[in-house]
Amino acid sequence: MAGAGGKNLNLKLKVWKQKGPNDSGHFLNYDANGISTDMSFLEMLDVMNEDLISNGQEPIEFDHDCREGICGTCSLVINGEPHGPDKGTTTCQLHMRRFKDGDTIAIEPFRAKAFPVIRDLIVDRSAFDRIIEAGGYISTNTGNAVDANAMPIGKAEADEAFNSAACIGCGACVAACKNASASLFTSAKLSHLAAIPQGQAERISRANSMVAQMDSEAFGACTNTGACEAACPKEISIENIAVMNREFAISSLKSRK
Amino acid sequence: MSYFSSSIGRKQIVGICGLGLSLFVLTHMLGNLLVFLGPQAYNEYGHALTSNKLIYIAEAGLLAILIGHVIYTVLLTIRNKNARPKKYAVTPAGEKKTNFAAKTMIYQGVVILVFIIHHLLTFKFGEEYEVQYGEVIMRDLYRLMVEVFSQPIYVVWYVIAVIILWTHLGHGFSSSFKSLGFNHPKYVKKIDTAGCIYAAVVCLGFIAQPLYMFMNN
Ligand code: FES
């Protein structure tokens, strides 16, 4: 299975298996032999699953979609680190060359009460969707698309908004945080919309309703450990959380709700 | 949603109370530096503080801030522990690992709380020796300090507790500002540095006192 110029690894995998949200789950050990260093982490799991299925065994269930680091569907906590050891990298972009022959790799799901396990390594991240539904949007009249330059936005503001908007909503921040807090995710969306003119109309109510939704989803609170920022595959800055704290404090003072 | 029941509102209260307590420990440390000037200076300072009626208001305020800091921290900690019922089998060791001081704030807080209670029982509510300077009879706190800090075990416990306070202040100071919304590339480094310097000054100032007492008496 070795790719051009690559070499093969023999690995031991310790994979979390869980039948459903109410199952208590356990680790299962697998041997992953002849894994090419050119493979991505998910390709390694694909190869494992092909073998398992052809041997009549249950495959390892995991989430994935784009496999190019932009959709936020892949997850996994690899040796304790969400999306594995590389900074600014999603699991689908992690390569097996990062590992050494004979390594033992522990693979766990993102663990949080708000992210119940659906099966094995797949967790339900719809709590994030509900936070967005609570206010992570702008209301606008439909019709013809507005001319791109009709609303002037300064370069600095646009860049700032874009940095926050780079969040792909994967949930690694929650997985990494010792409190399973969704602060980085929620704050990225709040900061994104607070930085641009389109976000101003609903700015006050947005901070209040998104934070209320975040709190109602059993996420923990932020203690500024910085684990989220370190784990984020898009390197969203923890500075966003301070923006959210400001937005929320102001919204609490101004909001009539 | 009510500010006081929201996770962010509670964090901000913990932060504000924490900053209030930080101000207190700084003044407490500075005032106590008078031990280096000898018994009279120290005892007269203590007497001036405690004979002022305003001390009751200050003490009540301080107690309220401490209670606010502790209660809201406990509420948040319960929330945080419930947010991850199932722990990870492996803790991150590489670039994604978390700073130890930041991760253990709550445990540091428990030790500090035990220390505060013990400290109050030892000094504030401890043995009432008396001394007279001129006409005035006052409490001889200096003598109590000499007595307490002549016991190595107490000195060791004091130093350990203050080192734990050091880590607590080191993270807590800058974290409080971040919870209140102050984190911006323009000044965040300055806040972090100020926090480090502040924590070091306060704690070294405190540690010097029992060590001086132990070695000089
Ligand atoms: S699968 Fe889309 S980001 Fe990894």
Side-chain angles (χ1 to χ4, degrees):
Chain A
M1 265 180 279
K7 57 172 193 155
N8 286 351
L9 303 175
N10 293 332
L11 303 162
K12 298 234 171 303
L13 301 186
K14 214 177 132 196
V15 181
W16 186 257
K17 295 290 286 176
Q18 187 172 338
K19 287 198 164 59
N22 300 322
D23 180 27
S24 57
H26 61 279
F27 279 104
L28 206 60
N29 294 327
Y30 297 90
D31 287 321
N33 293 329
I35 298 298
S36 159
T37 48
D38 292 338
M39 284 182 196
S40 77
F41 200 84
L42 296 187
E43 281 164 348
M44 181 272 291
L45 289 177
D46 289 338
V47 167
M48 289 293 300
N49 278 348
E50 276 172 26
D51 277 357
L52 289 171
I53 293 167
S54 61
N55 290 333
Q57 285 171 281
E58 290 257 325
I60 301 161
E61 306 266 355
F62 64 93
D63 254 330
H64 62 102
D65 189 9
C66 73
R67 297 210 178 193
E68 53 186 22
I70 54 169
C71 74
T73 309
C74 58
S75 56
L76 310 184
V77 170
I78 301 162
N79 287 338
E81 297 176 308
H83 291 297
D86 287 341
K87 277 196 144 184
T89 305
T90 52
T91 296
C92 59
Q93 297 287 294
L94 174 68
H95 282 82
M96 295 314 293
R97 65 181 81 98
R98 190 63 171 74
F99 298 92
K100 290 196 300 293
D101 193 38
D103 273 359
T104 298
I105 307 176
I107 312 174
E108 298 176 76
F110 283 0
R111 295 193 192 276
K113 187 165 183 199
F115 287 171
V117 171
I118 298 173
R119 201 175 169 94
D120 297 352
L121 304 167
I122 301 181
V123 298
D124 177 359
R125 286 169 279 183
S126 53
F128 270 15
D129 299 337
R130 291 188 290 275
I131 294 177
I132 295 295
E133 279 164 25
Y137 52 79
I138 54 158
S139 303
T140 178
N141 293 326
T142 53
N144 286 344
V146 187
D147 183 77
N149 294 322
M151 193 178 282
I153 304 176
K155 169 89 170 96
E157 289 74 26
D159 285 352
E160 201 185 314
F162 193 77
N163 285 342
S164 306
C167 167
I168 53 176
C170 64
C173 45
V174 174
C177 175
K178 76 174 178 65
N179 310 324
S181 166
S183 292
L184 193 64
F185 167 77
T186 311
S187 68
K189 190 45 73 183
L190 273 169
S191 318
H192 162 207
L193 295 176
I196 48 174
Q198 291 93 328
Q200 301 312 307
E202 289 149 314
R203 190 167 171 180
I204 300 298
S205 61
R206 176 180 304 117
N208 207 289
S209 32
M210 287 184 77
V211 170
Q213 188 61 37
M214 173 179 88
D215 279 358
S216 73
E217 294 285 355
F219 291 111
C222 171
T223 43
N224 297 310
T225 65
C228 53
E229 181 182 60
C232 176
K234 295 293 140 185
E235 303 187 297
I236 302 285
S237 163
I238 196 172
E239 190 194 323
N240 287 284
I241 299 183
V243 173
M244 169 169 78
N245 294 340
R246 284 203 295 271
E247 292 286 311
F248 178 74
I250 295 167
S251 150
S252 300
L253 288 171
K254 286 190 178 171
S255 169
R256 289 173 192 270
K257 275 202 272 183
Chain B
M1 184 185 36
S2 146
Y3 178 80
F4 294 95
S5 58
S6 69
S7 60
I8 296 180
R10 288 178 171 180
K11 261 162 51 118
Q12 293 183 335
I13 295 168
V14 170
I16 293 169
C17 293
L19 288 176
L21 293 169
S22 307
L23 193 63
F24 164 73
V25 287
L26 177 66
T27 53
H28 186 35
M29 185 280 290
L30 290 175
N32 274 25
L33 288 180
L34 288 169
V35 289
F36 296 116
L37 298 183
Q40 187 165 354
Y42 185 68
N43 285 333
E44 279 177 348
Y45 161 70
H47 182 69
L49 272 187
T50 47
S51 54
N52 189 330
K53 288 281 169 288
L54 286 177
I55 190 76
Y56 295 111
I57 300 175
E59 282 180 347
L62 195 57
L63 188 64
I65 293 176
L66 179 67
I67 291 175
H69 189 70
V70 171
I71 288 191
Y72 278 103
T73 301
V74 168
L75 289 173
L76 284 173
T77 306
I78 294 172
R79 175 185 186 95
N80 296 346
K81 296 278 173 221
N82 286 338
R84 174 161 303 127
K86 186 119 201 144
K87 302 270 166 284
Y88 289 109
V90 187
T91 11
E95 285 187 287
K96 296 182 182 175
K97 75 163 184 271
T98 324
N99 168 310
F100 180 77
K103 243 180 5 185
T104 52
M105 286 295 276
I106 183 72
Y107 307 109
Q108 298 157 27
V110 171
V111 177
I112 295 164
L113 188 62
V114 171
F115 174 78
I116 292 173
I117 295 169
H118 184 224
H119 187 74
L120 286 174
L121 292 176
T122 314
F123 292 104
K124 188 170 171 61
F125 303 109
E127 202 69 55
E128 299 260 358
Y129 298 120
E130 280 185 350
V131 65
Q132 185 164 2
Y133 298 114
E135 298 290 285
V136 199
I137 298 177
M138 59 184 72
R139 191 172 172 198
D140 192 354
L141 260 176
Y142 191 90
R143 180 171 160 201
L144 181 60
M145 254 181 111
V146 170
E147 212 175 85
V148 169
F149 291 131
S150 64
Q151 308 159 44
I153 182 79
Y154 199 99
V155 178
V156 170
W157 159 232
Y158 187 96
V159 171
I160 291 174
V162 173
I163 289 172
I164 290 172
L165 176 69
W166 192 336
T167 59
H168 200 72
L169 294 175
H171 175 75
F173 183 88
S174 65
S175 177
S176 300
F177 279 98
K178 288 166 191 164
S179 295
L180 292 168
F182 297 97
N183 184 355
H184 193 281
K186 243 188 337 201
Y187 55 71
V188 70
K189 286 270 169 310
K190 292 197 180 97
I191 296 184
D192 288 346
T193 314
C196 287
I197 295 174
Y198 158 81
V201 166
V202 166
C203 295
L204 290 174
F206 273 135
I207 289 173
Q209 297 164 19
L211 290 183
Y212 169 81
M213 292 301 223
F214 182 71
M215 289 192 242
N216 277 286
N217 295 288

